[in-house]
Amino acid sequence: MRSQLAHRLRSSSLKSLSAIAPPPSSPDYSRRLANLAARILYRSPFPSPKDLPVFILNGATFPDAKVVDYDTLLPYVLGRLPDEDELIEGQGYEIIFFAGGGDGGATASRKGRPGWGWFLQAYNLLTRATRKRLQRLYIVHGKNWVRMLVEMFSTIGSPKFRKKVVHVSSLSGLALHMPIENLLIPPSAYFSDRRRTSCIHAPHASGRRAFNTKQPFPISSTGSVRLPRVLREATSFILIDEVIKTKGLFRVNARAMTVEILKEAYNRGQKFILWRDGDTTLTFSHWKEGSGNASMGDVDQLEGYNAQSAAGLIKQWYTDLRFPIFPQSCYIAMDNIFGNVEVPIDTPHLVELLSVQAEWSHISKDSRFVLTMHLLPLLSRIAQFQEWNQMTPYNLAVCFAPTLLCGPDTVEDAKIAGIVIRVLETAIKLWKNDLAARVQMENWDFDESLRIPQAVEDREDPLEEADAGERSESDFQVNGITLLDNDDSGEEIEELKPSLPPRPRASTVHEGASNEAVTLRRKPAPALETPPRYSMVIAESPTGLDQSPIYNHTFIGRENRGFGSPQSSSESEAMSSLVSSRPRVSMSKTEARS
């Protein structure tokens, strides 16, 4: 029955589908469909751990079936797979299918897709070598219709297909099968994964490389200080002529989720990150042992990270510094030197504050390196295009001043913010004139630092080792109130615990007694007397009912057998005679009723 159903679906409209796209020289060739196919299926630059080519199938870029003809699009998509000659000579290939639908925002519309029969026909269009050489199909963020499609292929198409499918629910699960830092992951896959989990963990890759590190600028192989990779790539994209003219650069906030995704990607050491703003794209090549240099030149992706994402990522890097550029210890000195608004800030004071060789600067040497090697040259370049981007030196200083002040007291930060804005504004204006030369930082040094390092080990930032022991206050930047945990199992804490108080000794031990332990004896409690039962008291009465509680207003028992004091015989006889002389009243039942 399976073969009959497959033959019926295969012969229904198989004649209308073609597996070969028209050549580029043909008039029937569509450049729009070719670009769309390149966004749906593309080859990742680096191979898999088994040295097999990896193809990325992006489900978020599937077009609406009501708008695009899938029968015409299918040959362009299949043409991006390895041809039959390549498959026969090679060992196979792997496909990673990101089945999520992107960020899933409120404005996202539901796209229509073709019927189930079309998928089966498309599967049967694959050549035998293409189907047999498929080693693994990883389905990430799978949905119900994807699972049903896999079951249909396994039942009707080929029962062996099920053994090649691996379902993973998140990118962290995919990282257990292959190093995801070597993949070209589209932004829509990150957004889909963020809805399922808050972070991505990749073994031997996740950690701190660029953000919140102990050394802001890593040391190159030659022993000199260099820019971290995140600043080098994001700044290079911003300084492109078409991008630097973006209106509101550094003033318009980027999407917070996008900045967090990029921050996590650079800390993980993600090799390939595509920057795209309009028609302007920027990619960087990376080197891998055994594969050489790899780039994203043949990938035509619609998805990418724009100029606002790059600007937000740079601001996030300055915010996450362990030690702020202007610490709280320099607030008083900054107020004394630059606090008078009527006195303009001159160049000698700025040189004394910013120069790396200055001996009496009120900020650290690392902060001076960061300001003179990256921030001031970057802001000076952006201010030169203020006619297009509307970002004057004052506007740039206002945007960056809060990121440079992250002390424990927000009130003090707000008071000193005005002085920092004046200092930054003046430094941006004077940087191009003579300030850069007086602090031994020419503009060509900035351009040189943005180029890809020649040494392979300098192209990626080193992974900072996690602290195995305790955390000190100098390892992180203080923000707000810090709570310390007193339950630490360290040896130093154990020694500070007070000893137990001495055990109390008996007070009856006299001098000269033995040192043996003396047991304390307590005085025994008196025995409790059980009161007699009520029937026993009545039965032991000598006169019968004379001492019954019915005839006496107080229950009186015999000596040592009742609850009250014993009663004398004369009192008993008087009480009995009083009861016997009481007149009896008799009445009939009719009188009693009336």
Side-chain angles (χ1 to χ4, degrees), residues 509-530:
V509 178
H510 301 284
E511 297 181 359
S514 61
N515 294 331
E516 297 180 357
V518 180
T519 58
L520 298 179
R521 296 182 180 180
R522 295 181 178 180
K523 184 179 180 180
L528 296 177
E529 295 184 1
T530 305

Side-chain angles (χ1 to χ4, degrees), residues 214-228:
K214 296 180 180 179
Q215 186 72 22
F217 285 177
I219 306 299
S220 63
S221 58
T222 59
S224 60
V225 179
R226 63 175 179 85
L227 291 180

Side-chain angles (χ1 to χ4, degrees), residues 483-534:
L483 300 180
L484 299 180
D485 190 5
N486 291 330
D487 280 341
D488 197 347
S489 58
E491 297 180 356
E492 298 180 358
I493 304 299
E494 292 292 339
E495 295 178 358
L496 297 178
K497 290 183 179 180
S499 57
L500 296 176
R503 189 184 300 271
R505 300 183 63 83
S507 59
T508 57
V509 178
H510 301 284
E511 297 181 359
S514 61
N515 294 331
E516 297 180 357
V518 180
T519 58
L520 298 179
R521 296 182 180 180
R522 295 181 178 180
K523 184 179 180 180
L528 296 177
E529 295 184 1
T530 305
R533 294 175 59 85
Y534 179 75

Side-chain angles (χ1 to χ4, degrees), residues 333-334 336-338 343-355 358 360-362 423 426 430 435 438-439:
M334 294 281 293
N336 295 334
I337 300 175
F338 308 104
V343 178
I345 300 176
D346 53 359
T347 304
H349 285 92
L350 289 177
V351 173
E352 185 66 27
L353 178 67
L354 302 175
S355 179
W360 303 100
S361 179
H362 299 286
V423 171
T426 307
L430 300 178
L435 183 59
R438 298 188 63 174
V439 297

Side-chain angles (χ1 to χ4, degrees), residues 366-403:
D366 290 339
S367 300
R368 285 174 277 169
F369 267 117
V370 171
L371 289 175
T372 57
M373 291 184 62
H374 179 259
L375 184 60
L376 291 178
L378 171 63
L379 299 184
S380 177
R381 293 280 186 89
I382 296 175
Q384 296 176 16
F385 295 85
Q386 58 182 326
E387 183 180 354
W388 294 273
N389 55 33
Q390 306 297 321
M391 296 303 295
T392 61
Y394 176 76
N395 294 338
L396 293 172
V398 170
C399 293
F400 267 91
T403 64

Side-chain angles (χ1 to χ4, degrees), residues 301-316:
Q301 282 202 33
L302 181 63
E303 298 179 287
Y305 303 101
N306 57 10
Q308 303 300 342
S309 301
L313 189 65
I314 294 176
K315 292 172 63 176
Q316 188 67 36

